[in-house]
Every structure is written in C-alpha cells, then in structure tokens.
Amino acid sequence: MRPTVHLLSEELIERIVAEARDLLCTLGVEIHNPGVLELLHGHGARIDAAAQRAFFTPDIIDRSLESAPHGFKLYDSLGQEAVDLSGDRTNYTPGSAAITILDHGADRSRRPAAADYVRYAKLMCGLPNLASQSTAFIPQDVPEKIQDSYRLYLSLGFCEKPVVTGCFTVEAFELMKDLQLAVRGSAEALAARPLTIFSCCPTAPIKWSDVTSQNVVDCARFGIPVEYISMPLSGFMAPVTMVGSLIQHTAETLSGVAISQLTRPGTPVLYGGSPAVFDVRYETTPMGDIGTMMIDCAYNEIGKSLGLPTQAYIGLSDAKLLDAQAGFESAAGALLAALSGINNCSGSGMLDFESCFSLEKLVLDNEICGSALHLLRGITPKEDFPARARFEEMLAEGHLLISAHTRRHLRQEHYLPGPVIDRANKSRWAEEGGKTLGERARAEVERLVAAHRPVRLDSGVKQQLTRLMNAAALRAGIDRLPVSI
Amino acid sequence: MDLLTRLSESLQGGDADQVAELTRQALAAGLAPKPILDQGLIAGMTVVGDRFKAHEIFLPDVLLAAKAMYAGLDLLRPLLAKAGVATGGRVVIGTVRGDLHDIGKNLVAIMLRGAGLEVIDLGKDVAPERFVAAAQEHGAQVIGMSALLTTTMPVMRQVVDLCRERGLYGKVKLIVGGAPLSAEYAREIGADAYCFDGVNAVDVVKRYLGTA
C-alpha cells in the first residue's frame, strides 16, 4: 500500500475548480502577447484588446483538459527512459535558476561561474535519487543573452540525465531547442522522447507576460513538455486563505494548459507551481513554510483530479546556510511531496528561498529524497508468512544476520544512506575524523565530482552542440566560452 | 588466476564450500599451509575488512566471509600446529557477570575467528574469576569483555583489578566493548582499549599481536 496524504475533499476540489473556471470566463486572463490572444480568439475566447484580456469559454477549458496527456516520460541524452511522470510516481530534481552559490565553509554566498556549473553537472551524475538534472543556477561569467542556453549546453555536455530548464527570453528558445535537436537528431525524435521540461511562469494575479506565454507556445510547437509555475503569494498577490490561493493557482494553471493545448493538442504538461505564503514580518516568500507546502500538496490534488501530472517547488529551504533549518524544511517538503504523489519535485540543493545553490546541500538532499522514495515503497510482506520458520532459525542461530532471508531482502527493506548521513557510533565517528555534516557533504561532493565519467554522446553531437553555443556566444559579444564540452 | 587468488576471492564472496575445496586443492598441489593461510584466507579477509570500512559491503557479508574462513582454517589448523606455525593468537572473550546480552560478543567472536585467531568463548554472565582463569589456562594474549547494561559495566573493572592481582596486567591485553562503553571508560578502569565494532576489534587485537 502506497502511503498517501490528502488535504482536500472531492467536494472542495470541485468548488475550487468551478470558481477558477468562472474567473477565467468572466474576469479573464491578462496576456501581453498578441499572438496568444489571437490564438485564444480563434478558439472562441472573447478578447478585450485594449486591456489585453482574454475571456475563456468553458469549451476551451474542457477541450484543453481532454487533450492534455495524463502523464509522460523523460528520456536521457542517450534516449533511455529516465523519468516517469505519471500516476502517483514521485521524482526529484534540483531547484532551478539560483543566482548565487554557497561554498563549503563560507558564510556568504557568491555569484556562480561556468566552472561551478560543470562541477554541479558532474555531481548530478552520481546522485541516484535525483532522476533529472535542472539548470540549477546561472553562470555569471557569460553575457546575459546566453546565460539560459549556456546552462543547458553545459548540462548536456557533462550529465546524461534529462533537464528541467527554461528560457529567459523569447529569442533563447531557438537555440535551446536546437541544442536538443542536435542531441535527438530530429524534431520527431525529440517529440517522441522528450529531453527537457521548460518552466513557464504566469504572473500573479492571472496574467501572462509576452515572454513566458510565447515560451509556452514555442514549446508546444515542438512537443517540448512545459511545467506551469503559478506563484500566488498568499495574503499579498493572492487571497490570504489557502482555498483562495488555490482558486487563483487553478485559474493561472488552467490558462497555461489551454495555451499549450490550443497550440498543439497533446503537448505534455505538468500542473505545477511555486506558490508561497507571504511572510508579513519580513516581506518574503518562505518556501520552507508548512503553509506553502500545504498549498503545493493541495494543488497537486487538484491537478490529479483534472487528470494531469504535477510538479511543485518543494523540498527546499529558506535558510542561508547548510544548517538544521535547511534540513528540517527540505525533509518536510520532500516527504510531504512524496506522500502527496507530486510527480516532479523541484528544489534539491536550494537555499535562501530559491536564490542560492549549494552542492553540499544537494548531496544531503539526495539522501532526503532517497529516504522519501523508500517511504513510498510502503510495507509489503516478503516471505513473512508463515513466520515460525524464521523465528526458529533466529533461536537456533542466535541472530539472522546471515540468514538467506536477510540477504535476499536487506537492500530492498532497509534504506542505507551514503556517508553524508552519520550513522556511526560515536567512537567510530571520532576515529573517522569527527566530521560535521558540512564536512561529510563536502567530501562526498569531491568524491563524486572526481568519479565523473564523460557523457556518452557521440563526439559529432558534442561538436554540434559546441558549434551552436559558440555561434550564440559570438552573437552575444564574446569569442570564447569560459568552458566548452 | 592462481589458486590462492581464487581462494581469496571465494572467501570474499562468503562461499564456504568453495573455500574448503580450494584449500584442499592448494594442499594437494603441494603448497605449504602458511602461504595458503596468509595469501589466500587472510588476504581475503583483509579485503573484506577494508570494503566493510568503506561501506562497500555490510555486516552480513563480513560474517559470511568469516564463516568461509573457518572452512579453510579448520583444514589448515592441524597442519599449522604440526609444522609449529602459530595461527595468529588466542583471545578469551565473554559477556560480563550479570549481563545476558551476548549478540554483540558473538559477532566479535565470529570476526576474530574469521581473522584466523583462536577464540575461547566463555559465553554470557561470566564472573571475573573465569575470565582470568581461562586466560591463564589457555595462554591467551587478549581478554575481551562485553556489556550492554550500564549496571554490569563495573564488572569490567573487577576483571582488570583481578588481572593486576594475578600478575597478568600488562601481559594480557584487556579490551572492552558494548553499546554503553567508550574509550574514556576503558581508560578510566585501566583497560587497554575500547572497540567500537567487530571489525575494529579485529584491527585492535591484530595490532596488539603484531599481525596487523
């Protein structure tokens, strides 16, 4: 039996969805993109061009929900299945687009560079509980125009896992799509075996910018999966009540689903988000707040009720350092996400809301995610009935350590974390250096980075990726990238 | 792959039958018992200990390897004795008086035997007098004491004091282990070492015997 947690009744879900649909049809959606307004108009939406508003119809919403897939899979750069985003399967991926990085032992974060990103991508290869990589932070030693695409280039160059990513501009999509086509070989192959998910964010309340709505359209044209990152801020840019925030989240996300599905029916999408309660003391958006996590888990239930796979920014922390708060908030989020059945959980490695990345925290979070995934396996009998023979064996032998039953089931029944989690008795811990969590995580980062093996993409593909990236770098005003694959 | 390497690898895999068979083959091929012990069995156990410490394998793997070691050692021991070759040392071990918890002690005994040592296991609820008498009777180089209860830990000090009385202190190494024990407590009562787990106990004993 899979353990689960539920926060909403079916009746409450129905009322929330009904209110959201009503908002879309009567209040409308502000969309700063003439092409998207035209698209919606073509499918029956009333448009107020002056106010840049589209008033949806129930039919648009119904048809969009009908054509959206109930789940999909991601494939690594070699074309192997890597992530199943369907049913109640939970997967973890790092947080995205941090602007700073925290070094081990430092008490202040700094701006990350390409070399940091390479270490991150190499590290990702050795973290089995994170099924996909993300473009986790933004290298600051390349021009802004290529910061988004350069992350994807480095990710593809140093790690085979699929990538959760996104564009900062409309123009960047072309290159980021071409990088993927270089890996897959054709648009058909890319659509058949998606390599990335693009995060596309509506703006609270119930708006789409030109860039993000265009990204949704562009991804749909190529069958590239999209996760909608609706961000209602409860009590600030959303009603203070959780139900009110959920109504807003539902409206924003349904509007994104419609843009995708009207562009290309069947485009894979994730019913995602990054909502937060608004902390009225510090004017911040705490991702480690239990209320934030409750909204995440609740909209996951709404998404599932609509038949859609889901995503959330959860399992991350507002702490500035790798401390007890970081562990508490990350573990609480990762466990709740697992129990809720959120399909793609973004957040590992992230500190300081969603703005600082830590490689050491990523290693710790990999263990948190491993523990959560173990929890999801639940409890099932394994040669346990009848029980008497096992107990007779224990009485005869004095223990069951080398019992065949133990050896058959040990590695499935027990989760054995890596060395970042301290399980030694105190004397052994002391003999092995008496290391703090940070020191153990640091050692594990170094070990895994050193163990990295080159990605197995054909050299011709790597050269093509580099040709595409070099050309973009030249257009952006630099003749040499800090790191090439 | 030569015979002794195969023997070492079979031991690492915990295959007692194969270890016995390869030991017989090595003897039949004319190899002396000592190199079979050192380059086959002990070499294999050394790898097992190192891999356990590196978290590559776990306690069940170590115990299986130790049992496989017995299978080879049982064949070699009479021949080694006949040739006058010492088999590594002798350890008296037991859970102290008043304490009936012997699982940890049993694991340590298995691992010490697996390391090629001779172990005289006195069982549980062992009085100080029996530890000392057994050490004298068998000429043991090490006495190992185990306790799980904080209430029985003071018995260890009694064993240490009795060793002083009988003139064994300093000649026989006194090691202690068990969940409530610590290096500090071992120092406090005058024991030579605290061992935090079975593999550590093997390392400590081998160090005392000069075979590490």
Side-chain angles (χ1 to χ4, degrees):
Chain A
M1 183 186 75
R2 185 197 194 279
T4 55
V5 67
H6 290 285
L7 298 174
L8 303 177
S9 67
E10 285 183 23
E11 182 196 358
L12 184 52
I13 290 173
E14 285 175 14
R15 291 180 67 190
I16 290 169
V17 172
E19 289 295 322
R21 290 169 64 105
D22 184 62
L23 288 178
L24 290 173
C25 297
T26 61
L27 194 64
V29 183
E30 188 177 320
I31 301 173
H32 296 238
N33 184 313
V36 173
L37 288 171
E38 185 60 34
L39 171 76
L40 289 162
H41 181 60
H43 286 85
R46 181 168 64 84
I47 305 297
D48 180 341
Q52 298 180 298
R53 294 192 84 80
F55 298 87
F56 284 47
T57 64
D59 180 60
I60 286 177
I61 301 167
D62 290 340
R63 279 194 289 129
S64 300
L65 287 172
E66 277 169 23
S67 67
H70 299 313
F72 62 94
K73 291 173 180 173
L74 291 178
Y75 299 80
D76 67 20
S77 61
L78 304 180
Q80 302 297 312
E81 182 183 323
V83 186
D84 186 350
L85 298 154
S86 65
D88 55 9
R89 290 174 186 83
T90 292
N91 304 276
Y92 294 98
T93 193
S96 283
I99 52 174
T100 64
I101 188 168
L102 181 70
D103 293 322
H104 169 64
D107 57 3
R108 292 286 183 278
S109 56
R110 63 175 173 81
R111 288 154 61 90
D116 298 311
Y117 199 93
V118 171
R119 277 169 55 78
Y120 153 74
K122 288 181 173 179
L123 177 60
M124 274 305 302
C125 301
L127 300 177
N129 300 312
L130 302 174
S132 59
Q133 53 177 326
S134 74
T135 42
F137 53 86
I138 306 169
Q140 302 289 326
D141 49 351
V142 294
E144 275 184 22
K145 278 185 179 173
I146 58 168
Q147 282 176 343
D148 45 9
S149 52
Y150 187 48
R151 297 178 305 168
L152 179 59
Y153 165 76
L154 292 177
S155 270
L156 294 172
F158 290 96
C159 182
E160 294 168 0
K161 291 182 180 179
V163 193
V164 177
T165 187
C167 296
F168 301 159
T169 63
V170 171
E171 295 72 30
F173 176 82
E174 233 11 62
L175 173 56
M176 294 178 75
K177 174 259 296 175
D178 286 345
L179 291 172
Q180 296 181 71
L181 292 180
V183 171
R184 286 286 186 259
S186 70
E188 293 73 25
L190 178 60
R193 289 180 180 259
L195 175 62
T196 64
I197 299 173
F198 274 48
S199 302
C200 296
C201 311
T203 305
I206 320 181
K207 297 179 197 169
W208 283 91
S209 72
D210 175 42
V211 172
T212 56
S213 59
Q214 189 60 46
N215 285 164
V216 172
V217 169
D218 290 340
C219 285
R221 283 170 41 226
F222 286 89
I224 295 170
V226 165
E227 55 185 28
Y228 311 103
I229 310 298
S230 161
M231 295 178 277
L233 302 179
S234 182
F236 176 30
M237 293 303 289
V240 72
T241 56
M242 292 201 180
V243 169
S245 292
L246 287 166
I247 291 169
Q248 180 174 322
H249 176 276
T250 307
E252 290 177 354
T253 308
L254 284 178
S255 67
V257 174
I259 297 170
S260 289
Q261 299 305 313
L262 296 182
T263 303
R264 175 168 158 160
T267 295
V269 299
L270 289 178
Y271 193 91
S274 184
V277 301
F278 186 70
D279 192 310
V280 292
R281 301 164 305 168
Y282 294 100
E283 303 171 46
T284 53
T285 54
M287 304 308 296
D289 181 88
I290 193 69
T292 296
M293 298 178 204
M294 289 167 73
I295 300 173
D296 288 329
C297 295
Y299 81 65
N300 166 72
E301 288 178 49
I302 295 170
K304 291 289 169 64
S305 79
L306 297 170
L308 299 174
T310 58
Q311 180 275 349
Y313 273 88
I314 192 167
L316 58 169
S317 174
D318 310 318
K320 311 303 176 285
L321 302 172
L322 185 52
D323 56 16
Q325 181 183 340
F328 152 61
E329 293 174 344
S330 301
L335 284 166
L336 278 172
L339 291 170
S340 298
I342 297 172
N343 297 113
N344 200 34
C345 307
S346 303
S348 296
M350 201 66 95
L351 291 166
D352 191 9
F353 310 96
E354 293 179 20
S355 63
C356 179
F357 204 83
S358 158
L359 299 185
E360 286 70 31
K361 181 171 186 291
L362 189 66
V363 168
L364 171 65
D365 287 346
N366 175 62
E367 297 301 350
I368 291 174
C369 297
S371 301
L373 292 171
H374 185 76
L375 171 71
L376 289 189
R377 292 187 198 107
I379 296 175
T380 53
K382 295 179 183 73
E383 302 180 85
D384 288 301
F385 300 111
R388 181 171 170 147
R390 198 81 55 235
F391 287 86
E392 285 176 342
E393 182 184 1
M394 182 156 57
L395 289 172
E397 295 292 324
H399 59 80
L400 290 174
L401 274 167
I402 56 174
S403 157
H405 182 259
T406 302
R407 284 179 279 132
R408 272 197 298 278
H409 299 297
L410 173 67
R411 287 173 190 261
Q412 288 75 42
E413 286 291 284
H414 294 184
Y415 177 67
L416 297 172
V420 69
I421 302 297
D422 170 32
R423 293 270 180 88
N425 61 42
K426 192 175 174 185
S427 296
R428 182 168 176 179
W429 170 77
E431 180 164 302
E432 292 176 352
K435 290 178 185 157
T436 64
L437 169 67
E439 290 167 338
R440 293 193 301 274
R442 175 62 170 181
E444 194 63 353
V445 168
E446 294 306 326
R447 185 183 74 80
L448 291 171
V449 169
H452 177 261
R453 292 182 180 176
V455 300
R456 292 165 289 175
L457 283 173
D458 287 345
S459 59
V461 171
K462 290 182 184 175
Q463 287 165 7
Q464 175 65 3
L465 291 172
T466 298
R467 271 196 294 274
L468 289 164
M469 200 64 237
N470 279 337
L474 278 173
R475 290 194 297 275
I478 58 170
D479 57 8
R480 189 179 173 81
L481 292 164
V483 179
S484 292
I485 63 176
Chain B
M1 191 188 301
D2 69 43
L3 199 54
L4 295 183
T5 304
R6 284 168 60 201
L7 178 58
S8 166
E9 293 193 352
S10 296
L11 184 142
Q12 291 169 45
D15 189 339
D17 292 342
Q18 185 71 3
V19 165
E21 174 57 29
L22 289 171
T23 303
R24 284 190 202 96
Q25 284 183 27
L27 290 168
L31 290 173
K34 182 76 164 109
I36 298 174
L37 176 66
D38 290 344
Q39 294 162 41
L41 301 180
I42 290 178
M45 277 311 288
T46 302
V47 173
V48 168
D50 290 345
R51 293 190 66 203
F52 176 75
K53 283 183 244 179
H55 305 286
E56 292 172 9
I57 59 172
F58 307 127
L59 191 56
D61 308 301
V62 178
L63 294 176
L64 275 176
K67 288 215 159 185
M69 175 91 175
Y70 299 174
L73 201 55
D74 286 349
L75 296 168
L76 294 181
R77 202 182 294 279
L79 302 171
L80 290 164
K82 198 170 164 185
V85 178
T87 54
R90 203 165 285 157
V91 181
V92 164
I93 192 169
T95 302
V96 297
R97 187 174 60 197
D99 206 324
L100 302 179
H101 301 89
D102 63 351
I103 295 171
K105 179 269 296 175
N106 291 343
L107 296 181
V108 172
I110 290 170
M111 290 193 209
L112 289 171
R113 286 192 180 113
L117 299 158
E118 190 178 338
V119 176
I120 296 99
D121 187 348
L122 304 178
K124 55 201 171 195
D125 194 19
V126 178
E129 177 63 37
R130 283 190 62 211
F131 276 108
V132 176
Q136 287 177 315
E137 179 188 344
H138 296 282
Q141 293 95 343
V142 178
I143 292 176
M145 295 171 272
S146 173
L148 181 73
L149 306 174
T150 51
T151 52
T152 59
M153 285 164 55
V155 178
M156 294 176 168
R157 188 193 294 272
Q158 295 172 24
V159 177
V160 174
D161 291 344
L162 196 57
C163 283
R164 289 185 205 274
E165 280 180 30
R166 302 283 170 85
L168 290 182
Y169 194 76
K171 295 175 186 166
V172 175
K173 294 294 184 184
L174 302 168
I175 64 174
V176 298
L181 276 294
S182 66
E184 292 77 15
Y185 187 77
R187 272 196 298 276
E188 188 184 314
I189 65 172
D192 292 287
Y194 158 70
C195 304
F196 53 76
D197 64 23
V199 171
N200 180 237
V202 171
D203 286 346
V204 168
V205 170
K206 287 171 86 174
R207 198 164 65 235
Y208 285 146
L209 298 173
T211 55

